[in-house]
Amino acid sequence: MPKILVVGGGYAGFYTAWKLEKHLRSGEAEVTVIDPRPYMTYQPFLPEVAAGSIEPRHAIVPLRRHLKRTEIITAKVTYINHAEKKVTVEPDVGEPYELEYDQVVVTAGAVSRTFPIPGLADEGIGLKAIEEAVAIRDRVLDNFAKAANLPAGPERDRLLTFVVVGGGFAGIEVFAELRSFATALLKFYPQIAFDDIHFHLVEAMGRIMPEVSLKTSHWVLKDLAKRGALVHLDTQFASCVDGNIELSTGEKFESDLIVWTAGVMATPQIVRHTDLPIEERGRVVTRADLRVGTDEEPIEGAWAAGDVSRVPDLTGGGVGGYCVPNAQHAVRQAKLLAKNIVADLRGEQPKQYIHKNLGAVAGLGLGTGVFQSGKIAIKGFFAWVAHRGYHGLAMPTWERKFRVFGDWIGGFFLGRDIASLSAVQEPRAVFEEFAARPKPPAPAEPKPDEKPAADATSASEKKAPADKAPAKKTPTKKPAAKKPAAKKETAKKDSSSASEAAEKAAANK
């Protein structure tokens, strides 16, 4: 039976395996998915997770629950050797091993692309994983709680200053959502005023959100300005050592939260460790039918899709002639990829991927959003409804859809969830602090045949300081010598007393 191996369980990987289960006949092929995480993250929901509008677990899709006829391996793939059709698998526990396959699907996704900016690796946090979104939410909540106990001053300003780097869709969405979240928290912290909170967005280009029209991007800037958020255009992020922010304009301030959203890159762990063709930007060279290789030199048995692949955009709308790395393309590529793999197994011709961008929609906090499709632009409340409607229905599986819509309905009536769970990073801290520990063992008693006195004396002599001479032993007097001396002294006292009495008697006569 042919073995289909899917490397990566994100958008493209999950959808590929999900649709393969639907299209494959029973016993036609075996499907295996390998990913370090046992779930798929729906990344468009990460800004709302960071803002407390969606429960974190509801923004992910557990692979084992929804891929019922697929083998799931929670591990890393450290090398793809397509010449021998083997991958090296490195689990968290146990030794690395090799796994053979007949067809490989590379859908390892992307990670945050950073630059060697001083302090960024130590102080920054990305927004590509659910764990990062949760950490951002908890940091905002913790900082409000700390700042409420401090008087006005530099430390309080540092806690209430939040920075986002990158003015693309992801950066603007998380920036606007956090601004909305911070405003909603003010009623719970009367010690903090609206003007005490500072939001900075840093963008190296002269505009934000290149996915929408210039007019729409200007509207977003004005809306953010009304909400007290400051956007730095044509500005580079120069340094953030110890939270001390320095911009290329010379402006300096301090911040306790720096969110980096300035670009993504193909997962280097895969593209640097394979014999498959890789282009200059680190993506897998992929044809329009999603087979790895070029039109002149296709590579049999190798497929790719999603952010890790360089797929030609046959509509002519892509940047540089290739599909941009976003969820819209990843999901549609994966659905076609599953059909093409099945067609290849059955000796049929695969189809080419053609998809015209439907537009862009973004949420900018509760009740505000933007939608752009061609020349049509919608702003404000109706765009926000379109954002939630589109992504709510795009969330895979009805089980997850119900959970997300349940969060939104509950939030409408009950408000945001403002519980911080930052202590979960050290779950044993309280238990360890108060846990009873066994007493240290008592010193062992000497055995009857041992001579502790002699040992102690010799030990004390050995430990005597070098600048002091050891004490001399006092010679012991014999008891027999003491008794005679006592008797002589008594006799002398008795004789002198008798003579004194005789002299007193003679005088009286």
Side-chain angles (χ1 to χ4, degrees):
M1 186 185 303
K3 296 181 179 179
I4 303 172
L5 180 63
V6 181
V7 180
Y11 281 121
F14 171 79
Y15 270 96
T16 298
W18 199 28
K19 296 305 178 182
L20 280 173
E21 289 188 349
K22 177 181 178 181
H23 300 309
L24 287 171
R25 304 188 188 105
S26 178
E28 190 172 10
E30 295 179 0
V31 182
T32 301
V33 174
I34 304 179
D35 194 278
R37 294 183 175 91
Y39 52 81
M40 182 211 88
T41 302
Y42 192 74
Q43 293 181 6
F45 283 157
L46 293 183
E48 290 200 55
V49 171
S53 297
I54 295 178
E55 164 63 29
R57 285 185 175 86
H58 298 169
I60 62 176
V61 181
L63 300 180
R64 286 183 172 85
R65 174 162 187 169
H66 297 284
L67 298 178
K68 306 203 174 147
R69 292 190 291 119
T70 300
E71 180 185 6
I72 308 298
I73 299 177
T74 306
K76 295 179 182 178
V77 172
T78 57
Y79 193 83
I80 300 177
N81 183 359
H82 192 65
E84 299 181 8
K85 292 193 173 182
K86 294 180 180 178
V87 296
T88 302
V89 181
E90 184 179 304
D92 289 337
V93 179
E95 297 296 324
Y97 61 92
E98 290 186 338
L99 192 64
E100 297 182 350
Y101 62 82
D102 296 296
Q103 304 266 355
V104 66
V105 180
V106 184
T107 55
V111 297
S112 297
R113 176 175 60 93
T114 60
F115 305 100
I117 297 173
L120 179 60
D122 301 316
E123 303 293 335
I125 185 171
L127 193 66
K128 294 291 292 179
I130 193 69
E131 295 85 358
E132 293 175 321
V134 173
I136 292 170
R137 182 200 65 183
D138 289 344
R139 177 65 65 86
V140 173
L141 290 169
D142 288 350
N143 283 10
F144 264 75
K146 294 174 183 177
N149 296 324
L150 293 175
E155 183 59 28
R156 194 171 192 260
D157 290 340
R158 176 190 177 96
L159 291 171
L160 296 177
T161 300
F162 308 100
V163 179
V164 175
V165 185
F169 248 60
I172 290 296
E173 282 192 291
V174 71
F175 184 68
E177 289 285 355
L178 289 179
R179 172 71 263 191
S180 175
F181 185 36
T183 302
L185 289 176
L186 291 176
K187 64 180 179 181
F188 302 103
Y189 296 92
Q191 307 91 334
I192 301 175
F194 180 87
D195 293 335
D196 294 336
I197 310 169
H198 310 287
F199 275 83
H200 297 265
L201 184 133
V202 183
E203 170 54 48
M205 297 176 61
R207 61 163 296 180
I208 62 170
M209 302 176 75
E211 300 89 346
V212 302
S213 67
L214 188 61
K215 182 178 180 181
T216 302
S217 70
H218 287 166
W219 181 89
V220 174
L221 287 174
K222 292 179 181 178
D223 180 72
L224 291 173
K226 291 178 183 177
R227 293 152 66 180
L230 183 60
V231 178
H232 305 263
L233 297 178
D234 291 317
T235 304
Q236 294 182 349
F237 194 73
S239 176
C240 60
V241 177
D242 296 328
N244 297 304
I245 311 298
E246 295 184 16
L247 305 181
S248 60
T249 57
E251 186 173 355
K252 298 180 180 180
F253 52 89
E254 295 185 21
S255 174
D256 195 52
L257 177 61
I258 303 165
V259 183
W260 179 271
T261 64
V264 297
M265 65 179 182
T267 304
Q269 188 176 7
I270 298 297
V271 298
R272 294 176 185 172
H273 302 90
T274 181
D275 57 355
L276 296 173
I278 306 299
E279 49 100 45
E280 61 276 3
R281 294 186 60 185
R283 297 175 295 180
V284 180
V285 178
T286 311
R287 298 169 13 134
D289 62 1
L290 305 177
R291 194 191 303 274
V292 174
T294 62
D295 292 338
E296 296 76 20
E297 296 182 8
I299 297 178
E300 295 296 326
W303 310 80
D307 295 354
V308 78
S309 64
R310 190 195 67 178
V311 180
D313 189 342
L314 300 183
T315 66
V319 178
Y322 300 100
C323 296
V324 296
N326 61 23
Q328 189 175 143
H329 282 300
V331 170
R332 287 166 175 79
Q333 288 172 5
K335 292 179 179 179
L336 178 63
L337 178 54
K339 293 180 180 179
N340 283 352
I341 292 175
V342 173
D344 185 70
L345 292 175
R346 296 173 183 172
E348 302 172 1
Q349 289 296 320
K351 297 180 179 180
Q352 292 185 329
Y353 175 73
I354 302 176
H355 172 69
K356 186 173 179 59
N357 196 336
L358 298 177
V361 60
L364 304 176
L366 288 180
T368 305
V370 292
F371 169 79
Q372 182 85 43
S373 180
K375 295 182 179 180
I376 301 175
I378 303 175
K379 314 173 192 71
F381 177 77
F382 291 107
W384 175 74
V385 173
H387 159 75
R388 284 201 164 180
Y390 173 79
H391 284 297
L393 294 175
M395 183 72 178
T397 80
W398 283 103
E399 178 257 340
R400 291 287 127 172
K401 286 180 175 63
F402 284 133
R403 292 183 187 273
V404 170
F405 277 103
D407 289 339
W408 287 336
I409 294 171
F412 178 79
F413 291 103
L414 305 175
R416 301 175 192 255
D417 191 336
I418 64 167
S420 170
L421 296 178
S422 57
V424 77
Q425 303 301 325
E426 298 179 0
R428 293 187 63 255
V430 176
F431 177 84
E432 190 175 1
E433 180 181 359
F434 297 102
R437 290 175 170 80
K439 295 181 180 180
E445 296 182 359
K447 295 180 180 179
D449 56 345
E450 292 180 349
K451 298 179 180 179
D455 293 344
T457 303
S458 61
S460 63
E461 290 176 355
K462 290 179 182 179
K463 294 180 180 179
D467 58 345
K468 293 183 180 181
K472 295 182 179 180
K473 293 183 179 180
T474 303
T476 305
K477 295 181 180 180
K478 296 181 180 180
K482 289 181 180 180
K483 290 180 180 179
K487 288 182 178 179
K488 289 180 180 180
E489 292 175 359
T490 306
K492 289 179 181 179
K493 292 179 180 180
D494 293 343
S495 60
S496 60
S497 299
S499 59
E500 290 176 0
E503 289 176 358
K504 288 180 180 181
N508 291 334
K509 289 180 178 180

